[in-house]
Amino acid sequence: IPKDKLMTQLKTATDLIDQQYPFLFYFGEGSFQRTLDFARTKLFERKNEYINDFILRRDSENFIKKITSQKTQMNEFLTVLYSWVRDAIILKTGIRREQLIHVDRSEDVSQFSQKYTFNELKDLMDDVLNASQGLLENLNIKIPLLIIKEKIRYG
């Protein structure tokens, strides 16, 4: 479904705030039902917890321990992390904030983006993709997550 049509349908079916729609649309990949399911299961709230607990908090050891024990949530988390780095790259290239997936956190993404060069963000994105691939291959991805966290912490 085209984005504008899906947004209209979601607004009539839910009581979400406007800033939630871009994120849910991204995760729903154009499917009304998937997007609606994500809204109903509070994915938007979980993604903000992921951002707070992994990206913005200095110590994420407990979060990493918890998230690596739950494969389904781990995949969801990595997708959120990927979309966060994607937004940082978009801001780095000068595209408007309205194009962000995390438009509700645009100030946080902007501050994050300013800490890194374009190449550092690209490398971080590659690290997230490699962790996702490792998850698909049933590898332990705790170490890749710790490396990503170190790059975020000291970027």
Side-chain angles (χ1 to χ4, degrees):
I1 300 175
K3 185 176 182 176
D4 57 341
K5 191 172 186 177
L6 179 63
M7 297 289 191
T8 302
Q9 289 177 339
L10 282 171
K11 287 179 182 183
T12 59
T14 65
D15 59 349
L16 302 172
I17 60 171
D18 285 345
Q19 292 183 333
Q20 291 177 326
Y21 295 112
F23 175 78
L24 294 170
F25 178 79
Y26 171 79
F27 262 78
E29 298 175 336
S31 165
F32 175 75
Q33 190 57 53
R34 286 184 70 200
T35 304
L36 191 58
D37 289 344
F38 286 135
R40 289 182 178 150
T41 61
K42 308 283 188 210
L43 175 60
F44 185 81
E45 289 81 358
R46 283 194 311 279
K47 76 97 176 173
N48 279 322
E49 290 173 15
Y50 297 152
I51 291 167
N52 292 338
D53 292 345
F54 186 79
I55 297 169
L56 300 181
R57 186 168 286 143
R58 278 192 73 64
D59 180 20
S60 298
E61 192 172 321
N62 288 336
F63 173 77
I64 292 171
K65 183 187 246 184
K66 178 182 152 191
I67 199 74
T68 55
S69 70
Q70 304 166 354
K71 188 171 182 176
T72 302
Q73 267 197 309
M74 185 67 214
N75 188 50
E76 183 179 273
F77 162 69
L78 287 171
T79 305
V80 168
L81 184 57
Y82 181 85
S83 64
W84 181 267
V85 177
R86 171 233 180 242
D87 278 359
I89 289 172
I90 281 180
L91 286 178
K92 191 65 87 179
T93 61
I95 294 177
R96 297 184 332 254
R97 289 183 183 208
E98 295 82 36
Q99 301 299 317
L100 298 179
I101 294 167
H102 301 276
V103 69
D104 63 306
R105 306 289 297 256
S106 62
E107 191 57 41
D108 291 330
V109 176
S110 178
Q111 290 175 8
F112 180 84
S113 177
Q114 292 171 13
K115 290 172 39 177
Y116 304 93
T117 66
F118 182 84
N119 286 334
E120 289 170 331
L121 288 170
K122 185 193 167 304
D123 288 344
L124 195 54
M125 183 174 269
D126 290 343
D127 291 340
V128 175
L129 287 174
N130 289 334
S132 295
Q133 184 62 38
L135 184 65
L136 287 173
E137 296 171 2
N138 291 318
L139 300 175
N140 182 344
I141 62 165
K142 185 175 181 179
I143 292 174
L145 278 184
L146 290 169
I147 292 169
I148 291 169
K149 180 59 187 178
E150 286 301 305
K151 286 181 178 182
I152 289 172
R153 184 181 304 161
Y154 299 111

